[in-house]
Amino acid sequence: MAKSASRPRAALTDDDYERLAAFRHAVRQFLHFSESVASGVGLTGQQYQAMLAIRSMNGRGQVTINDLARQLLIRHNSAVGLVDRLVAQGLMIRERVPEDRRKARLKLSPKGEQLLGRLASVHRVKLNRIGPDIHRILSELAGAWRRER
């Protein structure tokens, strides 16, 4: 990696470490909440994330397993297994792409759409509650680091 031509960064302060720890803690709390809510309806956190990703990308055209793997930062074969499990639960539909039978288009089933809507609504309530704290922590981090420039 090339060295930056800008001046060296100041050492992190105790407050910087405290803010970084607070941010990671807030993110972990939200992820723990998310995984617990998903588990409550019989899903893993990764299955919920996959459904959310598929739903969020559907407006941009067809979504493939490769798209899902890239979005979730997992390998293609892991995405295949994840999709297989969601299809088996009746939450996702896999359709072969007529132009290229090797590819599959993914979309949520009506049952999957309904379940995702319920889960996303619960997540939105939680984010509305914790959002201001996360925003404050990020603003403090960014402000402190901007001042050191």
Side-chain angles (χ1 to χ4, degrees):
M1 182 185 270
K3 288 188 178 181
S4 173
S6 64
R7 66 187 172 120
R9 299 256 183 223
L12 275 72
T13 66
D14 289 344
D15 286 343
D16 289 331
Y17 285 109
E18 188 176 330
R19 289 180 190 114
L20 284 168
F23 175 70
R24 283 196 55 90
H25 180 71
V27 169
R28 279 301 308 142
Q29 279 185 311
F30 178 74
L31 291 176
H32 178 75
F33 161 82
S34 181
E35 290 161 5
S36 295
V37 171
S39 177
V41 296
L43 295 176
T44 66
Q46 191 176 48
Q47 287 173 322
Y48 169 66
Q49 184 64 35
M51 292 173 66
L52 192 59
I54 295 297
R55 178 62 180 84
S56 72
M57 291 187 285
N58 271 341
R60 293 184 240 150
Q62 68 184 24
V63 180
T64 65
I65 289 178
N66 280 334
D67 296 328
L68 181 62
R70 278 193 300 273
Q71 180 71 23
L72 297 183
L73 305 175
I74 60 176
R75 291 195 166 112
H76 182 272
N77 61 329
S78 297
V80 170
L82 185 56
V83 168
D84 287 345
R85 289 185 293 281
L86 289 167
V87 168
Q89 289 178 274
L91 300 172
M92 189 174 289
I93 299 168
R94 176 191 298 143
E95 301 172 332
R96 290 284 166 209
V97 175
E99 311 84 64
D100 185 348
R101 302 284 299 156
R102 295 171 298 167
K103 288 188 177 181
R105 175 183 8 240
L106 305 174
K107 64 181 182 180
L108 296 180
S109 68
K111 178 182 173 183
E113 286 275 357
Q114 182 182 30
L115 181 60
L116 179 63
R118 286 193 349 247
L119 288 171
S121 291
V122 171
H123 282 77
R124 181 173 55 188
V125 168
K126 179 73 167 180
L127 283 171
N128 281 336
R129 192 174 65 71
I130 66 170
D133 288 337
I134 292 174
H135 182 266
R136 178 188 50 76
I137 293 166
L138 284 173
S139 294
E140 288 173 1
L141 278 170
W145 292 343
R146 269 194 299 273
R147 285 189 293 276
E148 78 178 39
R149 282 185 172 181

